[in-house]
Amino acid sequence: MKTMRSVVAGTVGAGKTTFVRTLSEIAVVNTDRSATDETLLLKPETTVALDFGRLMLSPNMDLHIYGTPGQSRFDFMWELLIQNAHSYILLVAAHRPDDFKYAREILVFMNQRVKLPMLIGLTHTDCLGALEPESIMNSLGYDMNDKNRPPIVKINPTNRASVIEALVVLMALIIESSNIKLSQVP
Ligand SMILES: Nc1nc2c(ncn2[C@@H]2O[C@H](COP(=O)(O)OP(=O)(O)OP(=O)(O)O)[C@@H](O)[C@H]2O)c(=O)[nH]1
Ligand SMILES: [Mg+2]
């Protein structure tokens, strides 16, 4: 059995835990605990270590999917998870512009440690005040016209079809980065 490992990183409340729960075929390992600080204003619980889920990709390949904590005081978990990953998704809540700077800091953290296929997942695009992808990408330090920028996918983590769609984009990036031709994939 071959195992792919993907990490779902991103800002507090962006939807990382929800993404893992929606995708996983097994009961997820979840470490959400009562929020005690400013996160409490946003939601009652927050991830303190990791979320873990699993999905069969084929009879001989599975995907282990790990959600990170959003809070930077748990960044030792970001380190641990990203060092063992084959790819990652950065989730950014499109309706919380105050968090874009922090999302950029998470990106810098990851990119200083690994060079992996990754995409930007915009969540909460259905919410009031959601910004357009171009403006969010600018805040993250990307030029929309730059051919080398990561792909952006709008994701609703509560919707399985949406989560699967993002996963397909991620898998295509992994295949592209490993120089395997799509026609060779069984
Ligand atoms: N309307 C809407 N709600 C969303 C979306 N994505 C996530 N949510 C909701 O946002 C809330 C927070 O989601 P979580 O999955 O706990 O967020 P998280 O990124 O794991 O948060 P931390 O672990 O605290 O960093 C949940 O109630 C989700 O249902 C979205 O795209 N649209
Ligand atoms: Mg979480």
Side-chain angles (χ1 to χ4, degrees):
M1 175 75 70
K2 280 190 181 167
T3 296
M4 300 291 298
R5 285 182 300 276
S6 294
V7 164
V8 185
T11 50
V12 175
K16 304 174 295 293
T17 296
T18 309
F19 185 108
V20 175
R21 280 189 183 144
T22 300
L23 187 65
S24 184
E25 290 169 339
I26 59 163
V28 298
V29 176
N30 170 255
T31 61
D32 274 24
R33 298 289 180 269
S34 298
T36 51
D37 45 22
E38 69 274 12
T39 302
L40 191 55
L41 301 172
L42 214 60
K43 56 214 275 289
E45 293 199 321
T46 190
T47 305
V48 298
L50 81 168
D51 309 296
F52 171 71
R54 177 173 175 255
L55 177 78
M56 290 304 295
L57 296 174
S58 75
N60 52 10
M61 185 181 283
D62 68 353
L63 173 73
H64 289 187
I65 184 109
Y66 297 89
T68 67
Q71 297 184 18
S72 60
R73 63 192 172 114
F74 302 117
D75 65 6
F76 55 92
M77 287 305 303
W78 303 357
E79 175 95 41
L80 186 79
L81 296 174
I82 204 66
Q83 294 291 1
N84 291 289
H86 299 108
S87 66
Y88 76 100
I89 296 177
L90 180 85
L91 293 187
V92 183
H95 69 324
R96 287 197 198 113
D98 290 352
D99 289 354
F100 296 165
K101 185 169 168 280
Y102 180 51
R104 188 170 178 167
E105 287 165 13
I106 299 173
L107 261 176
V108 169
F109 182 101
M110 299 300 179
N111 293 338
Q112 279 175 347
R113 286 158 178 82
V114 293
K115 193 168 165 18
L116 296 174
M118 63 85 65
L119 62 82
I120 310 283
L122 300 185
T123 60
H124 293 84
T125 58
D126 57 317
C127 296
L128 194 69
L131 275 89
E132 288 304 313
E134 178 155 13
S135 138
I136 300 172
M137 286 301 271
N138 287 341
S139 300
L140 296 181
Y142 293 113
D143 175 355
M144 279 298 258
N145 298 317
D146 182 354
K147 284 194 209 95
N148 295 320
R149 68 162 171 77
I152 324 161
V153 180
K154 286 185 182 177
I155 304 174
N156 185 337
T158 64
N159 178 298
R160 195 149 203 268
S162 172
V163 168
I164 296 277
E165 196 181 312
L167 191 64
V168 169
V169 175
L170 194 64
M171 291 299 139
L173 289 174
I174 294 171
I175 290 167
E176 201 179 295
S177 73
S178 59
N179 283 328
I180 304 167
K181 289 197 175 64
L182 269 174
S183 57
Q184 294 172 345
V185 177

